Amino acid sequence: KLAYRYPRGESYMDVTLRLEPLAHEMERTREPVLIIGHQGILRILYAYFTGLTREEAPYVSIPLNHVIRLSPHAYGCEEKRICLMEKSEMLKDGQDEPVTSMPVKDEPTSTQYESTDPIMNAPSC
């Protein structure tokens, strides 16, 4: 997954090389930094600041509707995950991504999903 280049897109390795100067600049910053981005970008930056390998980066869990606070110190980062919206609230307020992209067996209006569904059963609050 690390070297796979999506059609008309980038691989994780391409993005890693593109983000490297940004990550170095962020390390020098003494002010708090807020990063809002696509999950692929966030996975790479998370892996960089937490000391994970490039091979581990594509598999980092970055749940929707969460803020991940990283506080760097001498030997790593302290991490705190803050849930902004519970999964049940997400389904109630019309925020249907990624539910609409996944057909649900039997009843299309049902909020019951298979226990093996990795998207709907991702770690949440």
Side-chain angles (χ1 to χ4, degrees), residues 1-3 12-18 20 24 43-44 47-48 51-60:
K1 191 168 178 175
L2 183 67
Y12 270 92
M13 200 62 191
D14 294 334
V15 177
T16 299
L17 293 173
R18 187 166 52 91
E20 193 171 5
H24 289 259
R43 284 183 183 110
I44 291 167
Y48 178 85
L52 299 176
T53 66
R54 290 180 177 177
E55 290 77 18
E56 294 172 295
Y59 304 101
V60 171

Side-chain angles (χ1 to χ4, degrees), residues 38-67:
H38 291 278
Q39 286 184 322
I41 302 294
L42 298 175
R43 284 183 183 110
I44 291 167
L45 290 172
Y46 179 92
Y48 178 85
F49 286 106
T50 58
L52 299 176
T53 66
R54 290 180 177 177
E55 290 77 18
E56 294 172 295
Y59 304 101
V60 171
S61 172
I62 304 289
L64 296 175
N65 303 312
H66 281 68
V67 171

Side-chain angles (χ1 to χ4, degrees), residues 77-92:
C77 277
E78 181 182 320
E79 175 183 328
K80 181 178 181 183
R81 292 187 179 221
I82 304 157
C83 180
L84 301 177
M85 183 182 290
E86 301 266 345
K87 193 185 300 184
S88 59
E89 291 177 60
M90 181 177 75
L91 297 173
K92 288 181 197 172

